[in-house]
Every structure is written in structure tokens, then in C-alpha cells.
Amino acid sequence: MLASGSLVRLSSCAVVTVLRAELLPGGSFILADPHGAGNLRVRPNGAIDTQGGRGGWARFWVDREPDGDENSIRLLNVGHHEQRGNDVFLAASIVPADQCPAASAPVPEPPAVLLSDEEKAAFVRHGYLVLRGVVGRELVDAALRAINNQLGQGSAAWEPDEDGKEKLAGEVGSKRSSAILNLLHASPARGIAEQLLDGQLSQQVGGQIALRFPLPEDKIGRPPKGNDQWHIDGMKKNGHMSPFQLLLGVALSSQACVCVCV
């Protein structure tokens, strides 16, 4: 009925009209905006957007629309069903790829920076790679300007995320901010990422901001964390255990040391 790569058109949602399906282990689907940074989700408050990740609010069970044609389907939101006991359906239809060329992935450009064989080997050997000076100063300044502008909104600068924790509100906090995504798309970083992945970068690219405010004086001299204080992103999620292909960090301020996320 529905397979990975299938195109889906929502019947009555103004957020986005065409999405690309990905089948997850266990049989549920995520539905990605081919030109955006996130997946379709139904937030706990019922709002619909395409800023979801791979959690329950952004996963759907799919079945046929009882009164529809062969391409008519309905999407049952997993998060609302499992966590709230509510059946929240979205009406949709399967769209042949040749009828929606705009959803096709763009043709990648040649990378501006070519990694050496030694750099690629180091990435395989250590699981990370540190490259300096890849992102231009003007792109960094634009990202900082967008972040600081949002921080200047006072209490309106923040909003709860799908887990109830505070995150930056507005476009800059949506994972789709052009100023943040340009750190990847408008710099050699995208070509470098594609070389490490040995192929074209997935369209599901999100720009997450990690703010690090100054610590209180009594915490500055704390000893470093032990080797057993670690985690793997996605380890507590059901279904797909690896929520992304690659984590690429761009430092927007001077770094006294290199902190690595693998």
C-alpha cells in the first residue's frame, strides 16, 4: 500500500501538500517535507506542522480510507494513540512520483572542499572529524544575529517542545531557519558531509541550536564527567534507533577545547 519513498498528499492541511514516506521498523511511517528540515507531526495540543523528528508525535500508522479510492489512505498518529489514548487521523492520498516532480531531490553540486584519504580514514577510525575554517565568518555572523534577535524577545523567546522542555521559539528555533541551515547549505560543509556519507545528503536536515550559557562560579571547577556518563541519541526511542545519518556541529563562538558528539 505505502512504501519508503512514496509521495503522500494531505487532503486538508495547509502546512504542506506533499510528503515523502519512510517505513520504520515496526510498521509505522514518518512523512518528510522533501524541501524542509523536519517530518509531519501532530503536536500534543493538536497543532500540525512539519517540524517533527522521529518520535511518536511524528510517526503514523497507515491504512486504507474505507470510503476512498485505491490511493486514498488515512494516517493515525502514534503519539496521540499511545500516549493520550486518542485516535487522531489525517486524510491523505498516495501520489505517483511522476505527477509531483517538485518533490524530487535536487541534483547535488560538486563539493567545494575535497577530503583527503587520510581525513576519511581518520573519520572511520575515530568516529569524528574536526575541520577548521570551513564555514565563513559572514554565515556565522548571520546565524548569531538570528539567535540573538530571538533571545531579545524576552519571555516570548521561548516555547515548550514536544517533550515539555523549553526551546527557542520562532523561525530560528524551528530547525528550518535559513540563517541556521545556511551554515550547511551555503558553505562547503554540505559537500564534506556528503563525502563522509558517500552519497547525497538526506533532505531531512534540521538545524538545531545548542545554547551554552555561562556556568555559576561554584560549578566552573567541577571535575570532568567520567567515561561512563554517555548516551546514544535515540537509545530510548522505539523503532528506528538512529535518528540521523550524521551529526555536524558548527561552532559559533571560540572553543577552548573540542567537544565531540558521535
Side-chain angles (χ1 to χ4, degrees):
M1 178 173 58
L2 190 65
S4 286
S6 296
L7 298 177
V8 174
R9 176 179 289 117
L10 297 179
S11 300
S12 58
C13 179
V15 174
V16 67
T17 56
V18 177
L19 302 155
R20 190 179 300 277
E22 178 186 342
L23 177 62
L24 301 179
S28 63
F29 285 85
I30 56 174
L31 298 154
D33 176 358
H35 304 298
N39 300 317
L40 177 70
R41 70 174 172 182
V42 182
R43 301 179 67 168
N45 63 3
I48 301 170
D49 60 32
T50 54
Q51 300 172 19
R54 305 177 78 93
W57 308 112
R59 289 188 288 118
F60 297 86
W61 298 107
V62 179
D63 63 8
R64 294 284 187 192
E65 178 61 53
D67 300 323
D69 59 26
E70 62 179 8
N71 289 324
S72 296
I73 57 175
R74 59 181 185 173
L75 312 173
L76 172 62
N77 185 262
V78 174
H80 278 274
H81 182 75
E82 294 184 348
Q83 299 188 38
R84 300 290 176 86
N86 298 326
D87 288 345
V88 176
F89 289 96
L90 299 179
S93 59
I94 302 172
V95 183
D98 58 2
Q99 294 183 17
C100 193
S104 301
V107 177
E109 298 180 357
V113 174
L114 289 174
L115 295 176
S116 67
D117 291 340
E118 175 53 35
E119 287 172 325
K120 293 178 182 178
F123 177 73
V124 173
R125 183 167 58 250
H126 301 301
Y128 68 91
L129 187 63
V130 178
L131 299 172
R132 294 175 171 82
V134 171
V135 180
R137 185 72 245 177
E138 69 281 358
L139 294 174
V140 171
D141 288 344
L144 288 172
R145 187 180 304 111
I147 294 170
N148 290 330
N149 177 268
Q150 183 63 30
L151 289 173
Q153 305 301 315
S155 60
W158 306 92
E159 66 179 4
D161 62 15
E162 60 186 50
D163 296 320
K165 300 178 181 179
E166 283 197 336
K167 73 175 187 68
L168 277 182
E171 182 188 7
V172 74
S174 70
K175 297 187 180 182
R176 301 180 65 181
S177 166
S178 58
I180 303 303
L181 291 177
N182 279 346
L183 296 168
L184 173 69
H185 297 302
S187 79
R190 182 183 179 98
I192 290 171
E194 291 180 337
Q195 291 174 74
L196 294 175
L197 294 171
D198 195 26
Q200 187 177 354
L201 198 65
S202 167
Q203 292 302 298
Q204 296 183 50
V205 176
Q208 182 178 351
I209 300 169
L211 297 176
R212 294 293 180 264
F213 295 103
L215 292 172
E217 187 174 354
D218 61 343
K219 294 184 178 180
I220 294 178
R222 282 187 174 185
K225 292 182 178 181
N227 292 331
D228 60 341
Q229 293 183 332
W230 57 270
H231 80 280
I232 300 173
D233 284 343
M235 62 188 295
K236 294 183 179 180
K237 294 183 180 295
N238 295 323
H240 199 294
M241 298 297 289
S242 179
F244 42 71
Q245 297 166 295
L246 182 74
L247 179 62
L248 187 151
V250 178
L252 301 179
S253 58
S254 299
Q255 304 295 303
C257 63
V258 177
C259 298
V260 176
C261 295
V262 178

